[in-house]
Amino acid sequence: MDEIIEKVKKTPIEVTLQIDDEGYTTSKKLYKWLELDQSHYSRWCRNNILENPFAESGIDYSPCGAGKGKGNFAEDYRLSADFAKKLSVMQKSERGEEARVYFLGCEKVLSKLAEQKHKTEIERVKGITVRQVLTEAIQYSGENERTHGHAYSLYTDLIYKSAFGKNARQLREEYGITKQEDLRGCFSLEELERVKSVEMVVSGLVNCGWGYGEIKDFIINQPKRLIPCGTADKEREDNSNEND
């Protein structure tokens, strides 16, 4: 179990390159994984490690003894994880291509995550504006007085119930946060869009003079399509249609 947990701490490429707990591997391990001709090992070390203008002795590499090898395969060097990764993608071999494909895949994933985060932040800002509109609608409608000062919490729970089937307290318990922490900071892009859609409907009904009871009955009795597809849901539908 401990071995599995330790591997989880390392990236797949680090496991493959046999990076140790201190963040290092050796030139022999790397060369063996690259499946290069052993007779060229000494020259490979000289060209790629010792005479590499972008590698610094004592930081990127350091001698670690001759080991048990013989002849040209005797010298060994301790390589930092970053340097080993650089050397792996430099190789014009099948294993080098595997390393390049891996890092390109990582870049695509990071790019997608950054794009998703940007969309979520934009949706969060939109949600703040919509929430302010709803708050003002409740304030000017007199609903807070009619509900003895509970209008904001009542409508909040109604909106969350419609969007998630749970009230604010239940959602906080689910996310493990206190009442002082920002609940909406836990929501995904799709969830933020869902909440915003219901809040827009509720704001419109409050402005039309509807009371909490009427709005609650309307929201509860409406079909799920009251909450339109969000951007993320629409993207999934478009991708599904393209695949079909």
Side-chain angles (χ1 to χ4, degrees):
M1 177 63 72
D2 291 340
E3 183 179 352
I4 295 174
I5 293 174
E6 186 59 40
K7 285 185 177 181
V8 171
K9 296 179 182 178
K10 299 173 184 176
T11 64
I13 194 70
E14 289 175 342
V15 174
T16 299
L17 297 180
Q18 301 179 60
I19 304 299
D20 62 26
D21 295 344
E22 296 180 350
Y24 292 90
T25 187
T26 68
S27 54
K28 284 186 177 181
K29 289 178 180 178
L30 176 61
Y31 197 82
K32 184 177 181 180
W33 179 76
L34 291 171
E35 297 181 342
L36 301 175
D37 189 336
Q38 288 194 15
S39 64
H40 297 158
Y41 172 75
S42 182
R43 183 173 62 189
W44 180 86
C45 284
R46 184 178 67 252
N47 293 338
N48 293 277
I49 300 175
L50 300 177
E51 297 179 0
N52 188 334
F54 304 105
E56 187 173 349
S57 177
I59 297 178
D60 297 304
Y61 69 91
S62 59
C64 63
K68 297 180 180 180
K70 294 182 179 180
N72 290 336
F73 205 61
E75 204 62 43
D76 202 3
Y77 298 91
R78 193 168 185 243
L79 310 177
S80 70
D82 287 345
F83 187 46
K85 293 171 188 177
K86 290 177 184 178
L87 292 178
S88 67
V89 299
M90 287 168 53
Q91 304 310 307
K92 296 179 180 179
S93 64
E94 184 175 334
R95 284 298 177 86
E97 181 63 16
E98 286 181 21
R100 287 187 288 274
V101 169
Y102 169 82
F103 285 113
L104 284 173
C106 289
E107 185 178 359
K108 288 180 180 178
V109 170
L110 289 174
S111 177
K112 189 67 177 178
L113 288 174
E115 180 184 354
Q116 188 77 0
K117 182 178 180 181
H118 180 63
K119 288 181 178 179
T120 302
E121 289 306 315
I122 291 176
E123 194 61 32
R124 207 179 302 284
V125 172
K126 290 180 180 178
I128 291 173
T129 303
V130 171
R131 180 67 181 182
Q132 288 174 342
V133 170
L134 173 58
T135 300
E136 290 177 2
I138 294 172
Q139 180 181 350
Y140 292 120
S141 68
E143 272 288 84
N144 201 41
E145 289 74 17
R146 286 192 290 274
T147 57
H148 308 289
H150 299 296
Y152 301 106
S153 59
L154 286 172
Y155 278 110
T156 297
D157 280 341
L158 176 60
I159 290 163
Y160 288 160
K161 275 278 191 180
S162 175
F164 307 112
K166 300 175 182 179
N167 61 31
R169 179 183 58 78
Q170 292 170 324
L171 287 171
R172 288 184 183 282
E173 290 177 353
E174 181 177 306
Y175 288 113
I177 63 174
T178 66
K179 192 173 183 179
Q180 287 70 39
E181 294 177 277
D182 180 21
L183 178 57
R184 298 188 185 216
C186 301
F187 295 163
S188 66
L189 174 62
E190 293 90 342
E191 290 168 337
L192 288 169
E193 290 176 329
R194 208 180 303 166
V195 170
K196 184 188 70 177
S197 297
V198 182
E199 285 184 333
M200 290 173 68
V201 172
V202 172
S203 292
L205 296 177
V206 171
N207 281 325
C208 287
W210 288 35
Y212 173 75
E214 295 173 292
I215 294 176
K216 180 180 179 181
D217 290 340
F218 177 81
I219 294 293
I220 291 176
N221 293 325
Q222 287 303 303
K224 290 298 182 182
R225 295 309 291 176
L226 172 67
I227 307 173
C229 283
T231 303
D233 295 326
K234 187 67 169 60
E235 287 179 356
R236 281 197 292 272
E237 285 186 4
D238 292 342
N239 290 334
S240 176
N241 291 334
E242 288 177 5
N243 293 333
D244 293 342

